[in-house]
Every structure is written in C-alpha cells, then in structure tokens.
Amino acid sequence: MALREGMPSIFVSAVCFSVTTMLVKAAGPGIPVAWVAFMRCAPAFLFLYWLLRRRDLALASPRWQSLALRGGLGVAAMCSQFWALPRMPLANTILLSQSTPIFASLWAVLFLEEILDRSSVACIGLAFAGVYVILRPALDYAAAPAAAALASAFFASLAFAPVKSLTRDEPPLRIVAYFMLVGSLAFLPGVLASAYLPTGKEFLLMGGVCLSATIGQMYLTEGILLAPVTRASTASFVILLLNILGGWAFWGEVPDAWTWAGSLLVSAGIY
C-alpha cells in the first residue's frame, strides 16, 4: 500500500525535474553555474521559510547536522548536473545523472539493511555495464561533462539514506528548506565573485528552474517517506523519456547507438 501511495508523488517530482533540466540547458553555458544554482536555492528558501512559519514549524531542529549533511549532498549533486547539462546531449546527461538507483541500492543495503538477492546484484551489474557503454571512458576534457553527470548521481544516491532517516521525525518542508539554505550559502560567494549580471530572459529561465525544482523536491521528499528507497529512486527514470523528447524537439538531439545500447542495459538492470 505504501508503494502505491508513494509512487504518484515520485512521478510528479520526475516531471517537474524534467522541466528543470530543460530550462537549465536552455540557459546555456554562458551563465555561471553559481548563478543558476543560487537562483534555484535562494528564492525557494525564502518561500519555504514563509511556509514553515505559517505552519508553526521552526527552522531549527535538534537534527540540524543531518539536515545540513543531506543539504550538502543535494547541493553537490545539483551543481554537478547543472554544469554538465549545457555541455553534452540532454539524454546522455539525464541518463547518467539519474543512474542514482544503481548507487542507492548499494547504500540501502549498507545503511538501511535492505536485502538484495542474487538477481538484484546481477541487475546492478547490468546497469553499471550500461553506464560504462554510455561513458566510453576517455581521459580528456571531453569526458568531463559525463563524469560530472555521473557524479551527480553518486551524490544524489548518498542523499537518499539521510532523507529516508530524516522523514521519520522531520517534516518534508524542513528537509527541503535546509537543502535550499545550504545551497544559498554555498553559492552566494560564487555569485558575488562572478561579476556577472544576468539578463531579464536569464532571470526568467532561472526563476522557472527554481519553481519547477522546488515543487519536484517537495514531492520527491514526500514520496521517499512512503515508498522503499530502491523503488522510489527508480521511478525518477521517467524523466529520461521526457528529456529524450525534449532534446529532440528543442535542440535536435538524437541519441546515438551507444546511448541506446547503454540505455537498454541500464533499464534492464534497474527494472
């Protein structure tokens, strides 16, 4: 029953995050990542703080260290993905950055005592093989965006276990608010040092990033509370299809044979 209750929230978050990634790509590599990340976090934090006050919830918490850790991991994942998005095909970026379930399954075993049978272990191996096919590792700068996208999945997977633990006694609103607070503080120095002033269009794009990502984050946190980690993380793969369609429709990107082959391996391993 919990699985059915949690999965709709997970899928809503996936749709919101697909909008976010397309907006970040549309913003392009010309805007410093610090600006995009700061604008994704700071307005959201102010709104979430207002919601906390309206619901008579304090920002302070005895578990502030865990909340800050979860926020830091989320910020690392977000920054890695935001840097990669304008620098490589959308489908490749999303497939790699959303390979979170591969890592999350391992952390669930190590930290949450969830059990993987032999078939699950084989599936994880298939998924890792798919990631390798997509990456086709090369020791040059061209591989940096792919490595950043994969790093995003790694950091996001580390955040799943703290979120699962926090949702037992922390409201989702406070968890997301801490994420936004940590991001705002982390990226403010980069914004000030960049000496860059975005245009009106760029502010609109970044505002859309903030709105869609904040809604997605709130639904994701709620979904993780209701569904097992291994299932909650896999549902986000729905955004891969949406971003393949978006990459084709808006940027004329068509995944190559290596990407399709890797996608099949990853999908077979995950599902």
Side-chain angles (χ1 to χ4, degrees):
M1 184 65 178
L3 180 59
R4 283 200 296 268
E5 290 175 350
M7 295 312 288
S9 294
I10 296 293
F11 281 113
V12 170
S13 76
V15 173
C16 291
F17 286 136
S18 70
V19 173
T20 300
T21 55
M22 284 185 269
L23 289 173
V24 172
K25 186 173 181 66
I31 306 177
V33 173
W35 257 108
V36 180
F38 178 77
M39 288 298 297
R40 183 265 182 267
C41 294
F45 171 71
L46 295 176
F47 173 68
L48 293 170
Y49 181 72
W50 175 77
L51 281 182
L52 283 170
R53 296 295 299 270
R54 278 185 61 87
R55 299 182 185 181
D56 294 323
L57 294 171
L59 180 63
S61 168
R63 301 192 64 187
W64 66 268
Q65 297 99 327
S66 297
L67 288 164
L69 172 62
R70 183 268 174 269
L73 292 169
V75 165
M78 177 179 63
C79 184
S80 300
Q81 186 190 56
F82 281 10
W83 186 84
L85 276 167
R87 294 171 172 83
M88 65 184 296
L90 191 59
N92 295 53
T93 310
I94 297 307
L95 184 60
L96 292 172
S97 63
Q98 291 299 320
S99 58
T100 301
I102 304 173
F103 299 107
S105 296
L106 299 177
W107 310 147
V109 171
L110 293 174
F111 302 115
L112 301 179
E113 299 183 356
E114 295 186 13
I115 299 174
L116 294 180
D117 54 25
R118 291 183 179 179
S119 62
S120 298
V121 174
C123 286
I124 292 174
L126 271 178
F128 270 116
V131 169
Y132 185 88
V133 168
I134 296 166
L135 283 173
R136 303 192 299 282
L139 299 177
D140 55 32
Y141 180 76
L150 192 59
S152 174
F154 175 78
F155 288 123
S157 71
L158 289 175
F160 267 97
V163 168
K164 188 71 173 180
S165 173
L166 287 167
T167 49
R168 293 167 186 162
D169 50 18
E170 291 284 355
L173 195 59
R174 184 184 289 144
I175 296 173
V176 181
Y178 262 82
F179 178 16
M180 297 299 97
L181 175 60
V182 172
S184 301
L185 296 176
F187 294 112
L188 179 58
V191 167
L192 297 176
S194 69
Y196 183 85
L197 182 63
T199 64
K201 178 182 177 181
E202 290 171 338
F203 271 117
L204 286 175
L205 286 171
M206 290 188 290
V209 168
C210 176
L211 179 62
S212 58
T214 300
I215 295 172
Q217 191 66 49
M218 293 180 69
Y219 273 102
L220 176 63
T221 304
E222 179 181 275
I224 292 174
L225 172 62
L226 298 172
V229 168
T230 49
R231 291 295 184 186
S233 57
T234 61
S236 62
F237 268 88
V238 70
I239 73 173
L240 175 61
L241 176 60
L242 296 176
N243 280 276
I244 288 176
L245 294 174
W248 170 74
F250 299 116
W251 293 279
E253 297 174 350
V254 179
D256 60 20
W258 287 103
T259 300
W260 285 117
S263 299
L264 289 174
L265 285 172
V266 171
S267 298
I270 291 300
Y271 295 106

